[in-house]
């Protein structure tokens, strides 16, 4: 059976988490949010959580191999799913290449990468607003928010080129109501998938 694998791409604060929830319901996918998985490890006090927290607290990326191993475990735990939505992963070209290799093994490549486009000022506003209630230390401090956006521009943006070169990239305007943005995403998925 052909699975529908989607990467939801975009800077911190673009709305990936919110839109993932709607996409999962509509397309019956398994959510792999590397940020959520790390926060779960931190909550459970695992070794991986302790290691990841050092980077997350600074707004830096967790080293690739830790992320890739964690995703590999998640993929094999859920091998009967109808597809995955990757949220906040891959965040480096190295991670994107590793993901392609993992998906090659099961002959189910990425169908499309959907990029949520939101201007930088709006991202900062949203993240600091979210920080008032999310309890996430990396949302509560302007300097850390700035670091996360710089890290995105330097390390994650090249991932867009990686998928553009494979003709698996679609940009979506991330400004508007949750429903309107979801409608744009659904359209982009429909035009890239056979489901
Ligand atoms: P997020 O919830 O996606 O905003 O991720 C929160 C933090 O977790 C990031 O700022 C990184 O420190 C770490 N993180 C999440 N996903 C990744 C990833 N794919 N690669 C490296 N670090 C990650």
């Amino acid at each position: 059976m052909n699975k529908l694998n989607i990467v939801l791409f975009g800077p911190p604060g673009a709305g990936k988490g919110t839109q993932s929830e709607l996409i999962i319901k509509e397309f019956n996918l398994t959510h792999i949010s590397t940020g959520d998985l790390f926060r779960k490890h931190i909550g459970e006090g695992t070794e991986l959580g302790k290691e990841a927290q050092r980077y997350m607290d600074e707004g830096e990326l967790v080293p690739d191999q830790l992320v890739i191993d964690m995703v590999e475990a998640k993929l094999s735990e859920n091998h009967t799913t109808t597809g995955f939505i990757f949220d906040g992963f891959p965040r480096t070209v190295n991670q994107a290449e590793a993901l392609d290799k993992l998906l090659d093994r099961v002959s189910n490549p990425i169908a499309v990468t959907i990029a949520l486009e939101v201007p930088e000022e709006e991202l900062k506003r949203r993240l600091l607003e979210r920080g008032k209630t999310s309890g996430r230390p990396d949302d509560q401090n302007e300097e850390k928010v700035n670091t996360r956006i710089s890290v995105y521009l330097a390390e994650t943006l090249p991932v867009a080129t990686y998928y553009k070169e494979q003709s698996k990239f679609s940009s979506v305007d991330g400004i508007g109501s949750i429903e309107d943005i979801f409608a744009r995403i659904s359209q982009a998925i429909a035009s890239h998938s056979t489901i």
Side-chain angles (χ1 to χ4, degrees):
M1 189 187 67
N2 220 9
K3 298 186 184 192
L4 176 63
N5 291 325
I6 298 171
V7 172
L8 192 57
F9 185 83
K16 299 188 294 296
T18 306
Q19 291 298 331
S20 285
E21 284 174 25
L22 300 177
I23 298 168
I24 290 158
K25 274 195 209 132
E26 177 77 17
F27 297 94
N28 195 23
L29 304 177
T30 300
H31 192 201
I32 297 195
S33 158
T34 43
D36 285 354
L37 291 172
F38 283 132
R39 281 184 288 276
K40 188 158 181 276
H41 275 279
I42 291 171
E44 290 167 357
T46 67
E47 279 310 310
L48 175 60
K50 283 180 202 153
E51 180 71 11
Q53 186 167 23
R54 297 183 5 220
Y55 299 92
M56 293 170 74
D57 281 354
E58 297 308 316
E60 301 287 349
L61 293 185
V62 176
D64 283 339
Q65 204 52 50
L66 294 181
V67 187
I68 293 163
D69 289 348
M70 182 175 73
V71 169
E72 183 175 9
K74 245 3 217 184
L75 291 179
S76 39
E77 261 172 41
N78 293 285
H79 60 94
T80 57
T81 182
T82 47
F84 291 99
I85 178 151
F86 298 97
D87 163 4
F89 174 86
R91 258 177 160 99
T92 63
V93 172
N94 193 15
Q95 290 179 18
E97 287 169 350
L99 178 60
D100 274 352
K101 286 200 190 109
L102 291 174
L103 294 176
D104 263 359
R105 283 193 213 157
V106 286
S107 305
N108 280 115
I110 295 296
V112 62
T113 295
I114 309 281
L116 288 172
E117 306 284 351
V118 176
E120 201 170 310
E121 281 315 305
E122 173 66 9
L123 296 174
K124 288 183 188 167
R125 195 193 62 74
R126 287 187 189 178
L127 288 170
L128 292 168
E129 190 60 33
R130 181 170 79 184
K132 291 181 190 164
T133 52
S134 70
R136 282 181 53 169
D138 57 348
D139 283 344
Q140 287 173 19
N141 167 304
E142 198 161 350
E143 198 187 313
K144 282 181 192 160
V145 164
N146 286 336
T147 304
R148 285 162 67 204
I149 293 174
S150 310
V151 167
Y152 168 79
L153 294 173
E155 299 188 51
T156 305
L157 208 48
V159 175
T161 310
Y162 179 84
Y163 287 114
K164 278 179 198 162
E165 284 169 357
Q166 300 184 25
S167 306
K168 289 180 178 175
F169 188 85
S170 192
S171 268
V172 163
D173 180 1
I175 297 285
S177 72
I178 290 174
E179 295 74 22
D180 285 350
I181 298 167
F182 178 59
R184 292 174 204 144
I185 292 176
S186 300
Q187 225 173 20
I189 293 174
S191 64
H192 272 88
S193 74
T194 49
I195 291 182

